[in-house]
Amino acid sequence: MTHTAKLQAMVFAAGLGTRLKPLTDTMPKAMVPVGGVPLIRRVLARLREAGAGRVVVNVHHLARQIVDYLAANGNFGMDIRISDESGGLLDTGGGLKKAAPLFRTDAPILIHNVDILSNVDIDALLAAAAGADATLLVSRRETTRYLLFDDAMRLVGWTNTATGQVRSPYPQLDPARCARYAFAGIHVFSPRLFALMDAFPDKFGIIDFYLGACAEADIRGHVQPGLRLLDVGKLDTLAEAERFAAEFGERR
């Protein structure tokens, strides 16, 4: 695990979790239990196993519950820093930009949505990310919104297949000639990209940033054979999430 020795991480945990109402009327999404274990604990266990030392967690909705839970558990033996967005949600890109001072500049940042369960091989993702500015875990799951990659798996654009919309810094891009993948909510980000965020507002999405930066930065996609992924974003996925966690031995 030598390539993870200096690994940092960030957990996006500030969302309102509106699709999980009424559970999220009284608890933040990060604290929603799957198999009796809060989502944030499952994610942190995976990050710790991967070698992450410093972890930044952003908070907003019912933030005190997350902060108190981490403190009561000794931060699970990790160097956890809180990026407080109580004053207003900043979206994923803005949340990462706000958290920039909490990271070292000499190590990659593994970013993980709090509501994603998967069997991802984090070591393989980190190895694939070596030398890149950012590497996005992607899959072939069915959706209407896809990231577009060239033959070398460099990010070149985005498309909505339902509307035909295409976004790309390359005006002549033909989506039909691109590899098309769905974003998995897990990615590796180099701190050297923070400089490119200066031109962005306080609130913006991370995919908006990647699309704006992909012409000048090395932003790649990474596909893992056999990847299984579950977005625990709706009430009707909780039962499936419990089966998923049991099947893949999601860490406690």
Side-chain angles (χ1 to χ4, degrees):
M1 198 180 290
T2 55
H3 59 277
T4 66
K6 293 183 178 180
L7 180 65
Q8 307 175 96
M10 181 166 186
V11 179
F12 286 146
L16 297 174
T18 52
R19 294 180 300 163
L20 283 168
K21 283 179 171 289
L23 287 177
T24 47
D25 289 336
T26 56
M27 71 175 69
K29 178 169 59 176
M31 294 299 297
V32 170
V34 170
V37 180
L39 284 167
I40 193 166
R41 181 171 177 175
R42 291 187 177 278
V43 172
L44 289 173
R46 293 297 302 274
L47 296 176
R48 182 178 59 196
E49 184 179 77
R54 180 175 302 177
V55 179
V56 175
V57 178
N58 68 342
V59 295
H60 172 77
H61 176 57
L62 300 174
R64 178 51 55 184
Q65 288 188 33
I66 299 174
V67 174
D68 290 348
Y69 175 74
L70 295 174
N73 287 277
N75 285 336
F76 298 101
M78 307 170 77
D79 175 15
I80 295 180
R81 315 278 177 103
I82 298 296
S83 182
D84 190 353
E85 296 180 25
S86 296
L89 277 172
L90 300 176
D91 208 338
T92 48
L96 179 58
K97 179 180 179 180
K98 175 181 171 63
L102 301 176
F103 293 107
R104 302 194 317 273
T105 59
D106 63 345
I109 303 165
L110 176 63
I111 303 171
H112 200 302
N113 289 0
V114 78
D115 56 0
I116 294 293
L117 298 180
S118 78
N119 65 343
V120 60
D121 183 337
I122 292 179
D123 280 352
L125 173 61
L126 292 169
D133 292 312
T135 301
L136 287 58
L137 182 68
V138 294
S139 73
R140 293 191 178 276
R141 68 179 172 84
E142 292 295 321
T143 182
T144 58
R145 293 172 290 182
Y146 292 96
L147 295 174
L148 302 173
F149 298 88
D150 66 13
D151 291 342
M153 284 302 287
R154 289 277 301 262
L155 180 67
V156 291
W158 172 96
T159 188
N160 184 326
T161 57
T163 65
Q165 181 186 7
V166 176
R167 296 174 56 196
S168 172
Y170 304 101
Q172 304 305 316
L173 183 74
D174 180 1
R177 300 176 63 87
C178 300
R180 194 175 70 179
Y181 292 97
F183 181 44
I186 302 171
H187 41 132
V188 182
F189 180 95
S190 170
R192 59 181 173 265
L193 281 180
F194 280 128
L196 296 182
M197 286 186 167
D198 289 345
F200 282 73
D202 291 341
K203 181 177 181 178
F204 60 96
I206 191 64
I207 295 300
D208 293 332
F209 170 74
Y210 286 144
L211 291 172
C214 66
E216 54 186 310
D218 181 5
I219 300 173
R220 308 174 187 171
H222 173 66
V223 182
Q224 290 191 356
L227 178 69
R228 293 280 300 280
L229 187 81
L230 181 65
D231 178 352
V232 191
K234 300 179 182 178
L235 285 175
D236 58 11
T237 62
L238 288 177
E240 184 182 357
E242 295 199 6
R243 293 191 295 270
F244 188 103
E247 179 180 357
F248 290 103
E250 286 290 322
R251 282 68 170 173
R252 292 172 178 262

